[in-house]
Amino acid sequence: MLLEREEVLGAAAAAANAARAGSGRWVLLSAPVAGMGRSAALEAIVRQQADGDAMRVGRARGVPEETAFPFGLVRQLFADDEAVPFSAPAGPDEQRLFHRLTTRLTRSAAERPTLLAVDDLHHADEPSRRWIGYLARRIGGIPVLLVATERADPCGPAPFPGPTGVSVALRPLSASAVARIARAAGLDQGSTVTCVEASAGNPALVRALAADLGDGRIPRRPSARSRSRYRDTIADWLRGADPCLRHACLALAAAAEEGLPAGPGLLHRLSGRRPSWRSPGERPVRRLSTLLSHPLAREAVLAAAEPEEIAALRARIAELLDESGAPARAVAARLLRVDRPGEVWMARSLAEAAEEAMRAGHVAESAAYLRHALSGPLDPERRAALTMRLGALELPNNATAGIRRLHTGLDLHTDLRDRATAATALSAALVAGRDPDTALRILHQAGRGATDDELVQVLQTLGALVSSHDGDAWRGAVAGLRALAPTAAPAIEPLVCGLITEYEAGAGLCSAAEALARVRPRLAAPVDPRLRTAWLGSAATLLQWADRLAEARELTGLCLPAPPVPPDLTDAGLQCLLSVRAEAALWAGEFERVVAENAPLVEATAGRGVRLPHLAAMVATARCETGRRAGAWEALDLAGPCGSDSSWEWNELSHARALLHAADGDWQAALDDHLRCGAGQSARDFVSPVATPWRSGAALALTRLGRREEARELAEEELRHARTWGTARAVGRALRAFAATVGGRPALGALTEGAELLRPACAPVELVEVLVDLGRAQIGAGNGRRGRDTLREAHAVALRLAGPAAENGAPATGRLLDLTARALREGGVRNRSGGHELTPAERRVAELAAAGHTNNQISDALCLTRRTVETHLTNAYRKLRIARRTQLVAVLGQ
């Protein structure tokens, strides 16, 4: 079925009539790509014009395998002429041969008009092509019709003289013609659309697709093993195409794969490094672009290409993007398809893209870019730096791989200072992997090779920071810092002072005021850049312990990246800052913030070699406070069992576990974990209750278990250490534990003191707990009204901690809310949540105020004077024991 070739057949018929009348003509059928039906059209012309022996027919076809043999095509036309040579004569000899062949053809055509059908002229040998041209220039006087086909751009120069013939371009089939072929093959509407879109009107592709789709053999992606006629057809094209057309086809496919528009200059830019390359022409490029815009065609071309061809094109596309200033990630995405980035600019682009991806929080993408950059040639210094960076990215997801990569990076560094930096990163990673012993050994080895005194001091102080994860090493490190302090370089001294102060604070040797006096002046002092995060981590820790929570969080914000960028766990200082950020938020009662900021990291690293017990403890405690008890235990399970090291983080984990047991009412388990925490802290000389108030927790558990004497001993010791440190949080918490062990009037006095200390402090959790115990004690002492007021105050603080949802009347839950609600019930406090003590008028006014209406709006709505509205609101505030309009929502919604 030859469709839409009327122009071709008409031109051939006119030329044949002229030839039969004695005026020879030539017709050239051309198309820029294979599969356009040149051979089919030629056969149709032969059948039409040779019907009934109207013309004698001579046939010839050019084949690539015979292009090197002179006169191979001519020999097909004159098969019985043994005088046709097998070598190309030169000069006059060739002219004599051409004349003799043309004369013979003229005599033969005089007897009967002749049609010479020459297929694939572009594959003919050169001498034969010259003779065809010789004939075309003389054909006007002899009854010969020459019909030839050639794969060429019809817009190019005509190979034959214009007056005696015509060139006809074979155009793509229209959509209606393609649909007709598809319907004839029995295809449904969807398959017909595929034929139209994936063939670009090329008859060979239309028929191949129709056959594939009719058989249910849909062309697959290049990675699939199955074959198809469609892909085989395209592969045959590429094999037979001339080098320039093949390169154009591959370049357009690669560009389309990358989403690049096929503009007029694209092929020239992609072929910039091939001076001999020539464009196949605007029209072929346009048609190829149309075809290759469809993924089936594009994938078939790429599947048929040699891997090195596509790799070279992809590299060139990436280079063009790089030169045009495209984003590094756009360039690197193309370079990932290049097996080996062999040029300097490629490694640079990949490294830049890795940083861009990291800033966007795409860790896996960033790591992929760095791995690819490392597969190419790099100078040693650059390779070492990229290896260290990749190790840091790999660490959270695979501690073994990350640490191994960091070891490699350390070995690649030759400069002592660079090795020292690499050693500190590796040591921090080892700490995250719970191997502080090896971390200390790495730092000591780096220090032994250093000759720079300042570098030695830097390594010593960083080693002391790492030593905080090992009880015995920590004591020795602090002794070394004390010896170093008088001679420490000014830029190193702040961290030396900070670490010594941390030890003394934990050992009960200094107060919060003394710690602040040491830290605050040094925050303005210049610090060695290598120690900046470590110093800020130490300073933030002391500020947090001293209840300067806002100041502590401000320091964490100076270094910790904002989400979604993950923290660098190869920085020991950032590890400290992570801990401070989490615990400061917990102490401030910002429980949801603790979970949001830390749970993703805890969950992402769980089971992958990095263990973050302190962060897991903070998440567990925050979830417990918000009433998610099951989620709290899950967070502790993610940290796993205590490690073999004696890090302070395991003590934090034991403390959190004790709090969860207490919330569950399992007082014996709570006591065991508190004592386990205490044993770990005491082994480190950490006796202060500032970080893990285990004695208070143990005293409360012992009291519940009926062992008051033991409880009182622990509570008194806790209170003594708390008063040494001197913060409201520490003292108020210890006073509560002491009150629980003594009871009676002493308990009432201790709780009253605790409440007075905690009310102005930023210690909401401790305040609620002390107020609940104080309210109960006041009611027990016969002062019911005051006790109930105290319990209401505790409940109001608990509501504030529950967040905006509770204040807006939404259901609120949490440990402290449950605690205060139970205390209110036990204390006989009347339920004011429904506003039973309010008059109907007061309640209507209060409800409108809670809904956000102003006094004027309420006055208009209820037809009351503004003064009456204000009086009703004042009475409502007094009866509901609140002070602000915003509290109405929570109280009325109870």
Side-chain angles (χ1 to χ4, degrees), residues 275-354:
S276 61
W277 185 83
R278 56 175 176 79
S279 173
E282 181 179 346
R283 185 177 295 179
V285 169
R286 188 166 59 250
R287 290 180 180 173
L288 283 173
S289 298
T290 301
L291 173 64
L292 295 172
S293 64
H294 196 281
L296 285 180
R298 185 165 63 248
E299 290 160 4
V301 167
L302 296 176
E306 296 297 328
E308 56 271 16
E309 292 178 297
I310 299 301
L313 282 168
R314 285 170 175 159
R316 179 59 180 156
I317 289 172
E319 185 177 17
L320 290 175
L321 288 172
D322 184 66
E323 292 172 352
S324 67
R329 288 170 71 187
V331 177
R334 274 77 179 184
L335 290 176
L336 287 179
R337 297 172 175 269
V338 179
D339 287 341
R340 191 168 182 268
E343 299 185 40
V344 173
W345 70 268
M346 294 181 175
R348 171 185 51 75
S349 291
L350 288 164
E352 290 177 1

Side-chain angles (χ1 to χ4, degrees), residues 12 14-27 49 54-58 77-78 101-118 131-132 134-148 164-165:
N17 290 334
R20 281 191 288 268
S23 180
R25 291 288 185 270
W26 58 264
V27 177
Q49 301 307 323
M55 301 185 80
R56 180 185 291 115
V57 178
L77 295 173
F78 299 94
L101 292 174
T102 303
T103 300
R104 177 179 172 178
L105 178 62
T106 300
R107 286 197 298 267
S108 173
E111 298 174 3
R112 188 169 61 173
T114 300
L115 189 159
L116 298 183
V118 180
W131 180 76
I132 294 292
Y134 181 91
L135 172 64
R137 290 188 292 275
R138 292 159 176 77
I139 202 170
I142 57 178
V144 172
L145 172 60
L146 169 64
V147 183
T164 55

Side-chain angles (χ1 to χ4, degrees), residues 442-748:
I442 293 291
L443 287 175
H444 291 157
Q445 289 173 351
R448 281 201 299 269
T451 56
D452 183 343
D453 290 342
E454 188 172 324
L455 179 58
V456 171
Q457 292 182 4
V458 166
L459 291 172
Q460 181 181 349
T461 51
L462 288 174
L465 179 62
V466 171
S467 297
S468 67
H469 293 277
D470 183 278
D472 294 334
W474 176 229
R475 291 192 192 90
V478 172
L481 291 176
R482 286 196 173 113
L484 173 63
T487 59
I492 296 172
E493 191 275 339
L495 179 56
V496 174
C497 175
L499 293 175
I500 292 173
T501 305
E502 282 188 58
Y503 175 84
E504 292 180 351
L509 301 177
C510 75
S511 66
E514 291 173 309
L516 290 175
R518 297 181 191 179
V519 170
R520 280 177 166 160
R522 288 175 169 82
L523 286 174
V527 178
D528 189 301
R530 294 166 291 187
L531 302 179
R532 181 171 182 265
T533 59
W535 157 238
L536 291 178
S538 179
T541 298
L542 292 166
L543 288 168
Q544 176 209 322
W545 288 352
D547 272 351
R548 301 302 193 269
L549 303 184
E551 295 176 59
R553 281 195 66 96
E554 184 179 354
L555 291 187
T556 67
L558 295 177
C559 297
L560 288 178
V565 181
D568 183 359
L569 296 180
T570 63
D571 188 322
L574 288 185
Q575 292 183 23
C576 294
L577 290 167
L578 278 173
S579 294
V580 172
R581 184 179 70 177
E583 196 153 18
L586 185 72
W587 286 12
E590 299 172 354
F591 307 129
E592 294 297 344
R593 184 174 189 172
V594 173
V595 175
E597 288 181 339
N598 300 285
L601 182 59
V602 171
E603 292 165 0
T605 57
R608 304 194 178 190
V610 168
R611 302 178 68 184
L612 305 170
H614 181 255
L615 293 187
M618 297 299 99
V619 171
T621 306
R623 284 178 174 167
C624 178
E625 291 290 357
T626 55
R628 292 172 283 180
R629 205 79 55 78
W633 284 111
E634 288 173 5
L636 291 184
D637 290 340
L638 291 177
C642 292
S644 58
D645 59 296
S646 56
S647 172
W648 56 270
E649 294 195 62
W650 301 119
N651 302 329
E652 295 276 1
L653 198 70
S654 296
H655 186 256
R657 190 175 286 112
L659 295 179
L660 265 62
H661 281 309
D664 290 340
D666 189 345
W667 296 105
Q668 184 58 55
L671 174 62
D672 293 342
D673 276 315
H674 276 307
L675 294 177
R676 185 176 296 109
C677 171
Q681 293 289 60
S682 299
R684 302 168 49 79
D685 300 337
F686 203 112
V687 299
S688 174
V690 63
T692 50
W694 64 271
R695 293 184 192 84
S696 293
L700 292 172
L702 285 166
T703 301
R704 293 298 188 111
L705 294 170
R707 298 158 61 180
R708 284 188 174 271
E709 287 301 319
E710 298 173 69
R712 181 168 181 173
E713 183 178 344
L714 282 175
E716 288 176 343
E717 184 181 358
E718 182 90 327
L719 184 56
R720 185 173 67 253
H721 287 302
R723 291 195 187 280
T724 298
W725 182 245
T727 60
R729 184 190 309 274
V731 176
R733 191 167 48 201
L735 285 168
R736 176 179 178 246
F738 174 76
T741 66
V742 295
R745 188 168 296 278
L748 189 60

Side-chain angles (χ1 to χ4, degrees), residues 815-859:
R815 183 184 70 87
L816 295 177
L817 277 174
D818 293 343
L819 176 66
T820 56
R822 186 167 59 252
L824 288 169
R825 288 193 303 271
E826 294 169 355
V829 179
R830 293 179 63 184
N831 181 9
R832 294 179 177 175
S833 61
H836 298 310
E837 294 187 358
L838 303 181
T839 67
E842 288 168 349
R843 182 172 181 181
R844 282 197 302 273
V845 171
E847 287 175 343
L848 288 172
H853 297 287
T854 66
N855 287 357
N856 287 336
Q857 290 170 332
I858 297 171
S859 174

